[in-house]
Amino acid sequence: MNSENSETYINHPTWGLLYRICMVDDQQDLFSTLYAQRLFFLVANDIKGIKFQSIGRTEARMLLENRLRTLRRSGQSQEYELLQSVFQRTFQ
């Protein structure tokens, strides 16, 4: 689940198919519902299995903005451009 350019989908038991927006940290990724992009989840995958934490749109936006800053500071321009496009489609 940690590659920036790969499309990753997982199935939520209630909300159905979710797609990965971006990595948040080494332990978590940000996902959203596939079609409406109105529900957001922090997803952690560990020894105990996959854990979903529902978060609000404002928190999801903040996490994505933080990831964009990290990519920009580290000079990962290709990943930054891809994620910037996702940001614009999702939040603007």
Side-chain angles (χ1 to χ4, degrees), residues 4 21-25 28 30 42 55-76 79-80 83-84 87 91:
E4 285 301 324
I21 295 176
C22 69
M23 178 178 80
V24 174
D25 58 36
Q28 300 179 102
L30 178 62
L42 281 177
I55 63 171
R57 184 174 178 83
T58 302
E59 186 176 355
R61 182 182 178 128
M62 182 187 70
L63 290 169
L64 187 49
E65 288 171 342
N66 288 341
R67 184 66 184 152
L68 283 166
R69 273 193 291 281
T70 299
L71 291 172
R72 188 179 67 235
R73 286 183 194 140
S74 65
Q76 298 178 36
E79 291 88 352
Y80 176 85
L83 196 54
Q84 181 67 35
F87 178 84
F91 294 107

Side-chain angles (χ1 to χ4, degrees), residues 7-47:
E7 291 186 14
T8 303
Y9 300 90
I10 59 174
N11 195 32
H12 186 281
T14 303
W15 300 107
L17 202 57
L18 306 178
Y19 79 97
R20 181 178 171 272
I21 295 176
C22 69
M23 178 178 80
V24 174
D25 58 36
D26 290 340
Q27 306 297 318
Q28 300 179 102
D29 293 286
L30 178 62
F31 280 78
S32 180
T33 47
L34 185 59
Y35 298 106
Q37 296 177 0
R38 298 184 189 251
L39 300 174
F40 297 90
F41 300 89
L42 281 177
V43 178
N45 191 4
D46 61 18
I47 298 168

